[in-house]
Amino acid sequence: MTQNAVASPASSMLGSLFNLRGSSDAADIANMTGRKALWLRIAMAVAMFSISLENNHDVGAIFNVGTRPLALFEGQETFVILLACCMCLHPKYTRMSIAVFAVTLIPYAPNFLGLANHQILGFWCILPALLVKDWVSSRSYATYLRVTFGMVMLAAFAQKLVAGTYIDGSYLQFLVTNSTKTTARWFEFVCSSGPAAPCLPIVVASNFILFWQAIVGVFLIIGWKNIGVLIIEIAFLIGAGVFADEFNFQVLNIALLAIVFRTGVPIIGAVILVIVTIADLWGLGAIGTQVALILRGAG
Amino acid sequence: MFNFIKRPRGFGAWAFVILLALHSLWVLNHLRLHAERSINPWKGGGYGMYTIPAPKQDWIVHSSASAEMRPSAANRKKRASTGFLLEHHVLANKNRWRRCAHLSHSSMAGFVQANRKILEPYIIVRAVESVFDPSTRKHPRKQIGRVKLEVRDGYIYYVSRMCGEEKSGRTPLKSLKELEG
């Protein structure tokens, strides 16, 4: 399946970040070597990293090791996952890294469905890479990831459709006017009608979200890997991440989509995604508030 | 498009087909459970995240010693540092996805161990749920369950009533080390 290059400035930026233009087609999937293979391994390492900090909500406990040395070992799986991330980058150890990553699931396996959703999705998507000899060049694994993502998108669409809260825009309105997330409230200006009823822009945005999920789900399942769709999807994920002030899920999605689309993630992209994942420990809203306070103090 | 589904070759391809089939069954089941209101739609895979305001379930502890008390934040943190079931299932309730599930025996044992001081002569734990009400724009708290725990002769005797379904029994009182092991 060939992929279309998109020439707009935005796509050009994303293109260089995620190697969109250099993406592969089905013909070379079985012969994945060199830089492209490295970028695919980086994508997998980023996907694993996005899960590593899930059980370390107490940021102070991680970094304030001077007063509490043992705090460093709370949530030990972080360090095992970091080891797996490093191993994943080397072609020789990339398969073993998945096994190391699998070890971190053991304590949580009895309550697998009670885990954070991006942990569930991460384990469900990453661990099956062990089933093939070389996941980097495996067409079966890429297809598995693609269909899994398509199913998740369609499932999310079905849930929203059944709840009816996106057709009438009521849930987005709730988020904008009632959410405790600072970033959701950044969008209050969109609607001047107040908290009572969703205004037209909210209803339109809400319906776009709903049907976009369905469209992407269908595209992924039928295997139409258009680069334009990937760019819109990444923009959509970033927008959702800002809105909900939750980025670790988006980082996981972006990294795994980079494997699905065979683009991989280059080093600069990985650095950005890692920074975003770490910043997510505090949240964009809290960081924005701190920056505003500092700027106000400086002013 | 679905080459490995049409002509699965080798163990890996067959395993992927089976995993996809299991996943699709779970997706349908999740939708059914959500419709029945027996799960928190935000949990169990995330398909229902950001669909409705997240229902928040919490546990309130009653004992003969005080009218209503909730374990302190410091206590919760202490429990979390042990990596112990209690934090997840009972107090913070972060990982609870089945709304009406009875507490597991290990959760009860952990809870009792962590709250021995307030367990005189018995303890009642109420499960409450807060769901956003658009008409009042508030999160009213509604009781959905209640568990009575009593320690006698090395056992925890319990009577649990969740979403109208009652269950009673006993479980051995275990030490923290046994629970963690």
Side-chain angles (χ1 to χ4, degrees):
Chain A
M1 186 165 296
T2 55
Q3 295 173 342
N4 307 324
V6 182
S8 73
S11 67
S12 157
M13 273 176 66
L14 272 168
S16 58
L17 199 60
F18 290 100
N19 182 30
L20 298 181
R21 295 219 183 102
S23 54
S24 70
D25 56 29
D28 69 0
I29 200 168
N31 189 23
M32 198 65 70
T33 53
R35 195 172 63 169
K36 198 177 284 176
L38 172 67
W39 287 4
L40 284 170
R41 292 197 300 274
I42 290 176
M44 184 63 96
V46 169
M48 290 196 269
F49 180 76
S50 72
I51 295 168
S52 65
L53 303 175
E54 181 57 33
N55 293 312
N56 281 302
H57 294 291
D58 189 352
V59 178
I62 302 169
F63 296 110
N64 192 12
V65 291
T67 52
R68 293 180 62 234
L70 285 177
L72 192 62
F73 300 100
E74 289 174 1
Q76 298 91 332
E77 68 273 16
T78 299
F79 301 100
V80 181
I81 294 177
L82 289 179
L83 172 69
C85 292
C86 296
M87 289 170 70
C88 187
L89 299 175
H90 195 285
K92 200 174 166 186
Y93 303 113
T94 193
R95 192 178 187 212
M96 199 189 291
S97 74
I98 309 290
V100 171
F101 178 70
V103 169
T104 63
L105 175 64
I106 294 169
Y108 304 104
N111 191 29
F112 182 68
L113 289 168
L115 287 176
N117 292 313
H118 82 283
Q119 283 178 300
I120 295 178
L121 184 66
F123 284 120
W124 191 257
C125 288
I126 296 171
L127 297 193
L130 269 176
L131 296 169
V132 287
K133 200 175 171 187
D134 178 19
W135 66 265
V136 176
S137 60
S138 166
R139 196 191 305 252
S140 299
Y141 179 62
T143 310
Y144 167 77
L145 275 188
R146 177 167 60 74
V147 178
T148 298
F149 263 86
M151 279 166 48
V152 169
M153 290 287 184
L154 287 181
F157 163 74
Q159 296 260 357
K160 289 180 175 72
L161 195 67
V162 170
T165 50
Y166 276 69
I167 294 281
D168 63 9
S170 60
Y171 184 68
L172 219 54
Q173 179 73 3
F174 160 79
L175 273 185
V176 170
T177 55
N178 290 283
S179 174
T180 51
K181 304 272 188 182
T182 320
T183 48
R185 289 183 167 250
W186 288 349
F187 296 84
E188 265 180 316
F189 72 93
V190 174
C191 215
S192 56
S193 64
C199 60
L200 187 64
I202 292 276
V203 175
V204 170
S206 194
N207 278 277
F208 169 74
I209 292 168
L210 177 68
F211 290 103
W212 176 252
Q213 279 196 321
I215 291 166
V216 171
V218 171
F219 282 173
L220 283 170
I221 286 180
I222 65 172
W224 193 57
K225 292 191 286 181
N226 184 287
I227 289 302
V229 172
L230 175 63
I231 290 167
I232 300 174
E233 179 57 16
I234 288 175
F236 178 86
L237 288 171
I238 292 169
V242 171
F243 194 79
D245 203 355
E246 191 175 347
F247 262 101
N248 48 13
F249 205 168
Q250 319 303 346
V251 169
L252 174 74
N253 286 339
I254 290 170
L256 291 177
L257 281 173
I259 297 174
V260 168
F261 280 74
R262 314 306 293 172
T263 62
V265 175
I267 294 167
I268 180 70
V271 169
I272 292 170
L273 292 174
V274 166
I275 289 172
V276 166
T277 307
I278 294 170
D280 193 53
L281 285 170
W282 289 270
L284 273 186
I287 291 172
T289 309
Q290 280 300 319
V291 170
L293 282 173
I294 291 166
L295 290 177
R296 223 174 284 164
Chain B
M1 180 166 69
F2 293 118
N3 277 348
F4 78 84
I5 295 177
K6 285 177 189 163
R7 297 185 303 275
R9 283 180 193 161
F11 169 75
W14 275 108
F16 289 136
V17 172
I18 291 166
L19 286 175
L20 286 174
L22 288 175
H23 191 186
S24 51
L25 287 176
W26 172 245
V27 162
L28 293 173
N29 194 37
H30 191 279
L31 199 59
R32 179 185 68 85
L33 293 170
H34 179 189
E36 285 175 359
R37 293 201 70 238
S38 56
I39 57 165
N40 174 353
W42 280 61
K43 305 294 289 180
Y47 319 107
M49 280 173 85
Y50 297 103
T51 295
I52 56 166
K56 189 176 169 242
Q57 210 180 69
D58 213 343
W59 295 81
I60 297 171
V61 180
H62 293 259
S63 79
S64 51
S66 69
E68 180 177 304
M69 57 188 297
R70 295 173 71 174
S72 68
N75 241 350
R76 283 204 293 271
K77 204 168 161 184
K78 194 175 163 193
R79 298 286 93 73
S81 71
T82 62
F84 166 57
L85 283 170
L86 176 65
E87 167 73 9
H88 299 303
H89 293 291
V90 182
L91 302 178
N93 212 24
K94 191 179 108 189
N95 292 2
R96 188 173 167 86
W97 64 281
R98 286 185 298 150
R99 287 176 67 241
C100 299
H102 293 280
L103 289 181
S104 66
H105 283 183
S106 59
S107 291
M108 284 186 213
F111 186 81
V112 165
Q113 281 295 351
N115 295 279
R116 289 301 289 270
K117 282 184 185 169
I118 57 173
L119 200 86
E120 293 168 354
Y122 61 85
I123 199 166
I124 288 175
V125 189
R126 287 197 300 130
V128 292
E129 196 174 67
S130 314
V131 183
F132 181 73
D133 178 356
S135 58
T136 59
R137 301 171 50 74
K138 287 184 178 162
H139 293 78
R141 215 162 61 170
K142 191 181 156 198
Q143 179 169 324
I144 59 164
R146 182 181 185 275
V147 189
K148 183 181 175 186
L149 302 167
E150 194 177 351
V151 178
R152 265 188 286 127
D153 315 320
Y155 283 92
I156 302 163
Y157 290 84
Y158 64 88
V159 181
S160 169
R161 192 176 176 82
M162 294 295 299
C163 301
E165 189 194 293
E166 194 165 296
K167 186 184 167 189
S168 59
R170 68 174 194 178
T171 179
L173 185 62
K174 289 178 182 169
S175 68
L176 279 175
K177 264 190 181 171
E178 282 175 299
L179 286 165
E180 285 171 6

CSV table of all heavy atoms in Angstrom, one decimal, chain A residues 100-128:
chain,number,residue,atom,x,y,z
A,100,VAL,N,11.4,-8.6,29.2
A,100,VAL,CA,11.7,-7.8,30.4
A,100,VAL,C,10.5,-6.9,30.8
A,100,VAL,O,10.1,-6.8,31.9
A,100,VAL,CB,13.0,-7.0,30.2
A,100,VAL,CG1,13.2,-6.0,31.4
A,100,VAL,CG2,14.2,-7.9,30.1
A,101,PHE,N,10.0,-6.3,29.8
A,101,PHE,CA,8.8,-5.4,30.0
A,101,PHE,C,7.6,-6.3,30.5
A,101,PHE,O,6.9,-5.8,31.4
A,101,PHE,CB,8.4,-4.8,28.6
A,101,PHE,CG,7.2,-3.9,28.7
A,101,PHE,CD1,7.2,-2.7,29.3
A,101,PHE,CD2,6.0,-4.3,28.1
A,101,PHE,CE1,6.1,-1.9,29.4
A,101,PHE,CE2,4.9,-3.5,28.1
A,101,PHE,CZ,4.9,-2.3,28.8
A,102,ALA,N,7.5,-7.5,30.0
A,102,ALA,CA,6.4,-8.4,30.5
A,102,ALA,C,6.5,-8.7,31.9
A,102,ALA,O,5.4,-8.8,32.6
A,102,ALA,CB,6.4,-9.7,29.7
A,103,VAL,N,7.7,-8.7,32.5
A,103,VAL,CA,7.9,-9.0,33.9
A,103,VAL,C,7.1,-8.0,34.8
A,103,VAL,O,6.6,-8.3,35.8
A,103,VAL,CB,9.4,-9.0,34.2
A,103,VAL,CG1,9.6,-9.1,35.7
A,103,VAL,CG2,10.1,-10.2,33.5
A,104,THR,N,7.1,-6.7,34.3
A,104,THR,CA,6.5,-5.7,35.1
A,104,THR,C,5.0,-5.9,35.3
A,104,THR,O,4.3,-5.3,36.1
A,104,THR,CB,6.7,-4.3,34.6
A,104,THR,OG1,6.1,-4.2,33.3
A,104,THR,CG2,8.2,-4.0,34.4
A,105,LEU,N,4.4,-6.7,34.4
A,105,LEU,CA,2.9,-7.0,34.5
A,105,LEU,C,2.6,-7.9,35.6
A,105,LEU,O,1.5,-7.9,36.2
A,105,LEU,CB,2.4,-7.5,33.1
A,105,LEU,CG,0.9,-7.9,33.1
A,105,LEU,CD1,0.0,-6.7,33.3
A,105,LEU,CD2,0.6,-8.5,31.7
A,106,ILE,N,3.6,-8.8,36.0
A,106,ILE,CA,3.3,-9.9,36.9
A,106,ILE,C,2.5,-9.4,38.2
A,106,ILE,O,1.5,-10.0,38.5
A,106,ILE,CB,4.6,-10.7,37.2
A,106,ILE,CG1,5.0,-11.4,36.0
A,106,ILE,CG2,4.3,-11.7,38.3
A,106,ILE,CD1,6.4,-12.0,36.1
A,107,PRO,N,3.0,-8.4,38.9
A,107,PRO,CA,2.3,-8.0,40.1
A,107,PRO,C,0.9,-7.5,39.9
A,107,PRO,O,0.1,-7.6,40.8
A,107,PRO,CB,3.2,-6.9,40.7
A,107,PRO,CG,4.4,-6.8,39.9
A,107,PRO,CD,4.2,-7.5,38.7
A,108,TYR,N,0.6,-7.1,38.7
A,108,TYR,CA,-0.7,-6.5,38.4
A,108,TYR,C,-1.6,-7.4,37.6
A,108,TYR,O,-2.8,-7.1,37.4
A,108,TYR,CB,-0.5,-5.1,37.6
A,108,TYR,CG,0.4,-4.2,38.3
A,108,TYR,CD1,1.7,-4.0,37.9
A,108,TYR,CD2,-0.1,-3.4,39.5
A,108,TYR,CE1,2.5,-3.1,38.6
A,108,TYR,CE2,0.8,-2.6,40.1
A,108,TYR,CZ,2.1,-2.4,39.7
A,108,TYR,OH,2.9,-1.5,40.4
A,109,ALA,N,-1.1,-8.5,37.2
A,109,ALA,CA,-1.9,-9.4,36.3
A,109,ALA,C,-3.2,-9.8,37.0
A,109,ALA,O,-4.2,-9.9,36.2
A,109,ALA,CB,-1.0,-10.6,36.0
A,110,PRO,N,-3.3,-10.1,38.3
A,110,PRO,CA,-4.6,-10.5,38.8
A,110,PRO,C,-5.7,-9.5,38.7
A,110,PRO,O,-6.8,-9.8,38.6
A,110,PRO,CB,-4.3,-10.8,40.3
A,110,PRO,CG,-2.8,-11.0,40.4
A,110,PRO,CD,-2.2,-10.2,39.3
A,111,ASN,N,-5.3,-8.2,38.6
A,111,ASN,CA,-6.3,-7.2,38.5
A,111,ASN,C,-6.0,-6.4,37.2
A,111,ASN,O,-6.1,-5.2,37.1
A,111,ASN,CB,-6.2,-6.2,39.7
A,111,ASN,CG,-7.4,-5.3,39.7
A,111,ASN,OD1,-8.5,-5.6,39.2
A,111,ASN,ND2,-7.2,-4.1,40.2
A,112,PHE,N,-5.8,-7.2,36.1
A,112,PHE,CA,-5.4,-6.6,34.8
A,112,PHE,C,-6.4,-5.5,34.3
A,112,PHE,O,-6.0,-4.5,33.9
A,112,PHE,CB,-5.2,-7.7,33.8
A,112,PHE,CG,-4.8,-7.2,32.4
A,112,PHE,CD1,-3.5,-6.7,32.2
A,112,PHE,CD2,-5.6,-7.2,31.3
A,112,PHE,CE1,-3.1,-6.2,31.0
A,112,PHE,CE2,-5.2,-6.8,30.1
A,112,PHE,CZ,-4.0,-6.2,29.9
A,113,LEU,N,-7.7,-5.9,34.5
A,113,LEU,CA,-8.7,-5.0,34.0
A,113,LEU,C,-8.9,-3.7,34.9
A,113,LEU,O,-9.6,-2.8,34.5
A,113,LEU,CB,-10.0,-5.7,33.7
A,113,LEU,CG,-10.0,-6.7,32.6
A,113,LEU,CD1,-11.2,-7.6,32.6
A,113,LEU,CD2,-9.9,-5.9,31.2
A,114,GLY,N,-8.3,-3.8,36.0
A,114,GLY,CA,-8.4,-2.6,36.9
A,114,GLY,C,-7.2,-1.7,36.7
A,114,GLY,O,-7.2,-0.6,37.4
A,115,LEU,N,-6.3,-2.0,35.9
A,115,LEU,CA,-5.1,-1.1,35.6
A,115,LEU,C,-5.6,0.1,34.9
A,115,LEU,O,-6.7,0.2,34.3
A,115,LEU,CB,-4.1,-1.9,34.8
A,115,LEU,CG,-3.3,-3.0,35.4
A,115,LEU,CD1,-2.4,-3.6,34.4
A,115,LEU,CD2,-2.4,-2.4,36.6
A,116,ALA,N,-4.7,1.1,34.9
A,116,ALA,CA,-4.9,2.3,34.1
A,116,ALA,C,-5.1,1.9,32.6
A,116,ALA,O,-4.4,0.9,32.2
A,116,ALA,CB,-3.8,3.3,34.2
A,117,ASN,N,-6.0,2.6,31.9
A,117,ASN,CA,-6.3,2.1,30.6
A,117,ASN,C,-5.1,2.1,29.6
A,117,ASN,O,-5.0,1.2,28.8
A,117,ASN,CB,-7.4,3.0,30.0
A,117,ASN,CG,-8.7,2.8,30.7
A,117,ASN,OD1,-9.1,1.7,30.9
A,117,ASN,ND2,-9.4,3.9,31.1
A,118,HIS,N,-4.2,3.0,29.8
A,118,HIS,CA,-3.1,3.0,28.8
A,118,HIS,C,-2.1,1.9,29.2
A,118,HIS,O,-1.4,1.4,28.3
A,118,HIS,CB,-2.5,4.4,28.7
A,118,HIS,CG,-1.5,4.8,29.7
A,118,HIS,ND1,-1.9,5.2,30.9
A,118,HIS,CD2,-0.1,4.8,29.7
A,118,HIS,CE1,-0.8,5.4,31.6
A,118,HIS,NE2,0.3,5.2,30.9
A,119,GLN,N,-2.2,1.5,30.4
A,119,GLN,CA,-1.3,0.3,30.8
A,119,GLN,C,-1.9,-0.9,30.1
A,119,GLN,O,-1.2,-1.8,29.5
A,119,GLN,CB,-1.3,0.1,32.3
A,119,GLN,CG,-0.4,1.0,33.0
A,119,GLN,CD,-0.4,0.7,34.5
A,119,GLN,OE1,-1.5,0.9,35.1
A,119,GLN,NE2,0.7,0.4,35.1
A,120,ILE,N,-3.3,-1.1,30.2
A,120,ILE,CA,-3.9,-2.2,29.5
A,120,ILE,C,-3.6,-2.2,28.0
A,120,ILE,O,-3.2,-3.2,27.5
A,120,ILE,CB,-5.5,-2.1,29.8
A,120,ILE,CG1,-5.8,-2.3,31.3
A,120,ILE,CG2,-6.2,-3.2,29.0
A,120,ILE,CD1,-7.3,-2.2,31.6
A,121,LEU,N,-3.8,-1.1,27.4
A,121,LEU,CA,-3.6,-1.0,26.0
A,121,LEU,C,-2.1,-1.3,25.6
A,121,LEU,O,-1.8,-2.0,24.7
A,121,LEU,CB,-4.0,0.4,25.4
A,121,LEU,CG,-3.9,0.5,23.9
A,121,LEU,CD1,-4.9,-0.4,23.2
A,121,LEU,CD2,-4.2,2.0,23.5
A,122,GLY,N,-1.3,-0.7,26.5
A,122,GLY,CA,0.2,-0.9,26.2
A,122,GLY,C,0.6,-2.4,26.3
A,122,GLY,O,1.2,-2.9,25.4
A,123,PHE,N,0.1,-3.0,27.4
A,123,PHE,CA,0.5,-4.5,27.6
A,123,PHE,C,-0.1,-5.3,26.4
A,123,PHE,O,0.5,-6.2,25.9
A,123,PHE,CB,0.0,-5.0,28.9
A,123,PHE,CG,0.9,-4.5,30.1
A,123,PHE,CD1,0.4,-3.8,31.1
A,123,PHE,CD2,2.3,-4.9,30.1
A,123,PHE,CE1,1.2,-3.4,32.2
A,123,PHE,CE2,3.1,-4.5,31.1
A,123,PHE,CZ,2.6,-3.7,32.2
A,124,TRP,N,-1.4,-5.0,26.1
A,124,TRP,CA,-2.1,-5.7,25.1
A,124,TRP,C,-1.5,-5.6,23.7
A,124,TRP,O,-1.5,-6.5,22.9
A,124,TRP,CB,-3.6,-5.3,25.1
A,124,TRP,CG,-4.5,-6.2,24.3
A,124,TRP,CD1,-4.9,-5.9,23.0
A,124,TRP,CD2,-5.0,-7.5,24.6
A,124,TRP,NE1,-5.7,-7.0,22.6
A,124,TRP,CE2,-5.7,-7.9,23.5
A,124,TRP,CE3,-4.8,-8.3,25.8
A,124,TRP,CZ2,-6.4,-9.2,23.6
A,124,TRP,CZ3,-5.4,-9.5,25.8
A,124,TRP,CH2,-6.2,-9.9,24.7
A,125,CYS,N,-0.9,-4.4,23.5
A,125,CYS,CA,-0.3,-4.2,22.2
A,125,CYS,C,1.2,-4.6,22.1
A,125,CYS,O,1.7,-5.1,21.1
A,125,CYS,CB,-0.4,-2.7,21.8
A,125,CYS,SG,-2.0,-2.2,21.4
A,126,ILE,N,1.9,-4.4,23.2
A,126,ILE,CA,3.4,-4.6,23.2
A,126,ILE,C,3.7,-6.1,23.4
A,126,ILE,O,4.6,-6.6,22.7
A,126,ILE,CB,4.1,-3.7,24.2
A,126,ILE,CG1,3.9,-2.2,23.8
A,126,ILE,CG2,5.6,-4.0,24.3
A,126,ILE,CD1,4.3,-1.2,24.8
A,127,LEU,N,3.1,-6.7,24.4
A,127,LEU,CA,3.5,-8.1,24.7
A,127,LEU,C,3.4,-9.1,23.6
A,127,LEU,O,4.2,-9.9,23.4
A,127,LEU,CB,2.8,-8.6,26.0
A,127,LEU,CG,3.0,-7.8,27.3
A,127,LEU,CD1,2.5,-8.6,28.5
A,127,LEU,CD2,4.5,-7.5,27.5
A,128,PRO,N,2.4,-8.9,22.7
A,128,PRO,CA,2.3,-9.9,21.6
A,128,PRO,C,3.5,-9.8,20.7
A,128,PRO,O,3.6,-10.8,19.9
A,128,PRO,CB,1.0,-9.5,20.9
A,128,PRO,CG,0.1,-8.9,22.0
A,128,PRO,CD,1.1,-8.2,22.8
